[in-house]
Amino acid sequence: MSTTIQLEPVAGFCIKSTVNDAPNHGLKVFVNIAWDPHVPQPPPGSELRIRRAMLGHDVDDPNPDAWYVPVVVSDGRQDKDKAGKPALVFDCVYNTSLKSRTLTDPEFKLFIVELALQRIEAQTSLVLSRQIGTPNIVPKGKLLPRTVNIPSSLLTEGSTHSILPASSTTHQLIQEVSPPVAPSSTKPKGILKSASTSTLKERSSTPTWSWSKDGTKIQIKISLPNLPRALIEHATLDIEPRRFILHVPDYPVFDINLGLSDAEIVATAASRTSASLHDGNGTEPNNTLTLKRQRPLDVDGATSEWRLADNMLVIVA
């Protein structure tokens, strides 16, 4: 189940990066790091676990409850730099409880910044430079109120939040519902991922998946609701020993990377606009974390088939 929450973020600091890949190489990107008490807090964790998450290390035991940091990432919006050249601006909003450590622990601040950059990259397919600047502004532009949907399981008992009527639709872990910019604002062509286009919005069909053992093989089932049969012949599937990627036209790219650290798997699940790693039943990121602990996928012996009646792709590898 999801809960709809209102945010009124307070500016923390601003960083500046640039796009490193074509066709927009050199485009400036401003990232507002902001705080709001209604964003879910990270789960309880020892200092050792927090440090391991900051370093991107794996958790050796099979417990999937790795420490992670929820964050709300806005859509990119157009702006200009001080020279009047085009720029993009993103807001990354964290729980207010992280503010004090960010101010006193430089390594933790870098972790928060890197997390924001990773979220933006996952959401937009941009490649951002890690040569970071700190402009002499607190926020770039104005931080406006916004509404987000989050799984109710992320809300800790006794936490304070402004709740709106919950939607019955399954959403990704943290998804912005009402953009803090006017509807007339347009995104730069070719910059932001097509997940925000009307085609994807109309489908409301985020793929879900599960895995199980089939003798000595691993069986993976990917369900795509409302899948038109005409699109199946245009679908592509790439299987690597520690990764599988399914692309179906007009659907978010479904990319499961088992080569990431536990912390990265949990953390990057929070804001993907490609196939969400979190469904409404909370089965993710557990699916990825548990499959990661199995043997590599058998690429040479892999088979796949579409079960049209179930709108499902079954992979055996």
Side-chain angles (χ1 to χ4, degrees):
M1 294 181 60
S2 64
T3 301
T4 304
I5 289 180
Q6 289 182 314
L7 302 180
E8 295 184 4
V10 176
F13 58 95
C14 181
I15 62 168
K16 179 177 64 177
S17 179
T18 55
V19 176
N20 265 356
D21 59 331
N24 300 286
H25 187 275
L27 178 70
K28 288 184 181 179
V29 177
F30 294 87
V31 181
N32 293 321
I33 305 297
W35 317 110
D36 191 290
H38 305 139
V39 175
Q41 298 184 37
S46 65
E47 181 62 22
L48 176 61
R49 177 160 290 187
I50 293 173
R51 286 288 171 182
R52 289 183 65 83
M54 290 167 59
L55 295 172
H57 289 172
D58 280 337
V59 178
D60 294 330
D61 60 58
N63 182 2
D65 297 327
W67 195 81
Y68 61 94
V69 180
V71 55
V72 174
V73 180
S74 73
D75 289 335
R77 59 185 181 272
Q78 292 188 61
D79 207 318
K80 294 183 179 180
D81 64 12
K82 63 181 180 181
K85 296 182 178 180
L88 279 178
V89 181
F90 294 87
D91 302 328
C92 294
V93 188
Y94 296 91
N95 185 275
T96 308
S97 64
L98 300 174
K99 179 179 179 179
S100 59
R101 180 158 185 167
T102 303
L103 294 174
T104 58
D105 185 342
E107 292 182 358
F108 189 77
K109 182 176 182 178
L110 288 176
F111 170 65
I112 291 296
V113 169
E114 173 62 24
L115 206 55
L117 295 176
Q118 289 182 15
R119 297 293 201 286
I120 294 169
E121 289 177 329
Q123 180 167 309
T124 65
S125 293
L126 295 173
V127 177
L128 300 180
S129 171
R130 268 32 179 197
Q131 293 184 346
I132 303 300
T134 53
N136 190 27
I137 50 177
V138 178
K140 176 67 173 177
K142 187 176 181 181
L143 294 175
L144 298 178
R146 63 206 65 197
T147 303
V148 299
N149 285 341
I150 64 171
S152 300
S153 59
L154 283 182
L155 297 175
T156 58
E157 184 176 357
S159 60
T160 59
H161 46 270
S162 176
I163 301 180
L164 298 177
S167 169
S168 60
T169 305
T170 297
H171 293 277
Q172 60 194 49
L173 178 61
I174 299 181
Q175 177 186 20
E176 186 157 337
V177 177
S178 301
V181 292
S184 58
S185 297
T186 57
K187 298 173 184 176
K189 183 177 181 181
I191 294 287
L192 299 181
K193 206 167 186 177
S194 59
S196 61
T197 64
S198 60
T199 301
L200 292 182
K201 284 183 177 180
E202 289 170 2
R203 291 205 185 283
S204 65
S205 51
T206 300
T208 58
W209 73 288
S210 62
W211 74 272
S212 61
K213 287 188 175 181
D214 183 9
T216 60
K217 295 288 188 177
I218 293 173
Q219 184 181 80
I220 300 167
K221 295 181 179 179
I222 305 174
S223 177
L224 292 90
N226 307 317
L227 175 66
R229 295 191 179 188
L231 295 182
I232 291 178
E233 64 183 36
H234 301 290
T236 60
L237 174 66
D238 295 319
I239 300 179
E240 303 172 9
R242 305 299 294 169
R243 190 173 188 174
F244 53 97
I245 305 170
L246 174 65
H247 179 267
V248 180
D250 295 342
Y251 279 75
V253 176
F254 190 81
D255 185 353
I256 301 298
N257 189 350
L258 306 174
L260 299 176
S261 70
D262 285 13
E264 288 174 310
I265 289 172
V266 176
T268 58
S271 293
R272 292 197 173 179
T273 54
S274 58
S276 175
L277 289 181
H278 286 256
D279 63 25
N281 297 322
T283 59
E284 279 296 344
N286 291 349
N287 277 342
T288 307
L289 291 167
T290 53
L291 180 56
K292 171 185 173 179
R293 288 169 170 78
Q294 304 299 312
R295 61 163 175 77
L297 300 177
D298 180 7
V299 177
D300 293 333
T303 62
S304 63
E305 65 172 353
W306 286 99
R307 295 182 180 175
L308 300 182
D310 300 323
N311 288 331
M312 179 183 295
L313 176 66
V314 179
I315 304 168
V316 178

